Amino acid sequence: MERPSREELERRLAALRGQVELPIPAASAVKIGGERAYRLARRGVAVEMPLRRSRVDALDVITYSGEAVRLDLRVSSGTYVRSIADALGGHCQTLRRLEVGPFRVEDADPERVIPEAEALAVLAAATGAVDER
């Protein structure tokens, strides 16, 4: 497969920003007919995967060598990044989640696990929710 030029890559990325519908990857844990899709895929059972609507707020190139691209994404919950890679004509070699909601990697302390009550308080503060316990 011929690798896209930088201009073609940018065109493909533009089509994936905003509201998108992409197929759920066959290697996902979504249930198809009562069985996990990844189990079906491992047995070689081909199934048509359903589409999932997602929101892609940011999809920016960090580096592109012509061989590989490194992207920065900001997506809605439930977005399959591997589906974005597939839509670009490639595959996801590595994936690192840097934040989820108010929790960010750079704020993490490997020496300390946040107690549930503290984590819930952070979530409540971030969303404006009130804890009614």
Side-chain angles (χ1 to χ4, degrees):
M1 176 195 291
E2 188 175 321
R3 291 172 177 89
S5 67
R6 176 70 183 237
E7 294 75 27
E8 174 63 16
L9 175 63
E10 292 291 350
R11 188 186 67 71
R12 292 180 189 182
L13 291 171
L16 292 169
R17 292 184 183 107
Q19 293 291 329
V20 295
E21 281 194 349
L22 295 167
I24 296 172
S28 72
V30 126
K31 287 189 176 180
I32 305 291
E35 191 169 357
R36 302 281 181 196
Y38 66 84
R39 289 189 179 135
L40 295 168
R42 286 179 186 160
R43 288 199 321 262
V45 177
V47 295
E48 187 168 332
M49 296 301 293
L51 298 177
R52 174 159 295 168
R53 182 177 297 267
S54 301
R55 189 182 71 251
V56 178
D57 295 322
L59 183 55
D60 303 312
V61 175
I62 296 172
T63 61
Y64 182 53
S65 66
E67 296 289 321
V69 62
R70 186 171 180 201
L71 301 171
D72 180 38
L73 293 86
R74 298 215 180 255
V75 297
S76 62
S77 178
T79 300
Y80 288 93
V81 173
R82 286 173 177 81
S83 290
I84 293 173
D86 189 54
L88 291 171
H91 66 278
C92 185
Q93 188 174 19
T94 59
L95 176 62
R96 183 168 187 222
R97 182 168 293 169
L98 299 176
E99 66 182 58
V100 176
F103 302 103
R104 302 177 324 161
V105 167
E106 59 264 19
D107 298 335
D109 180 352
E111 302 297 318
R112 180 173 168 261
V113 174
I114 297 174
E116 178 184 346
E118 187 179 334
L120 290 173
V122 170
L123 284 172
T127 61
V130 177
D131 187 0
E132 295 184 15
R133 283 192 267 172

